[in-house]
């Protein structure tokens, strides 16, 4: 369940080589979270349609 917590997303991003957010703003974290989802590939996190979902879908589909 790494996708369920901010810390889990940060750790997964680190393990995938996704650069951390450039600042502490909520918008920066949403962009980071979306990038982590995309880097992680397919999985149950795509069922979590929170604030990062639509951006993640755009990034995944090459329109981000």
């Amino acid at each position: 369940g790494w996708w369920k917590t901010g810390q889990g997303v940060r750790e997964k991003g680190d393990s995938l080589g996704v650069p951390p957010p450039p600042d502490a703003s909520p918008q920066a974290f949403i962009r980071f979270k979306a990038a982590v989802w995309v880097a992680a590939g397919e999985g149950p996190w795509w069922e979590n349609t929170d604030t990062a979902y639509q951006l993640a879908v755009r990034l995944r589909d090459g329109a981000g």
Side-chain angles (χ1 to χ4, degrees):
W2 61 262
W3 62 93
K4 296 178 182 177
T5 68
Q7 183 62 34
V9 172
R10 286 182 192 89
E11 289 173 3
K12 186 68 168 180
D14 186 50
S15 74
L16 294 170
V18 177
D23 58 58
S25 72
Q27 295 82 6
F29 186 76
I30 288 169
R31 287 188 299 273
F32 170 72
K33 184 176 183 179
V36 172
W37 283 13
V38 171
E42 292 302 314
W45 43 94
W46 291 102
E47 297 169 14
N48 182 16
T49 57
D50 70 1
T51 55
Y53 177 78
Q54 289 194 16
L55 176 59
V57 168
R58 288 195 311 267
L59 290 170
R60 179 189 66 190
D61 296 344

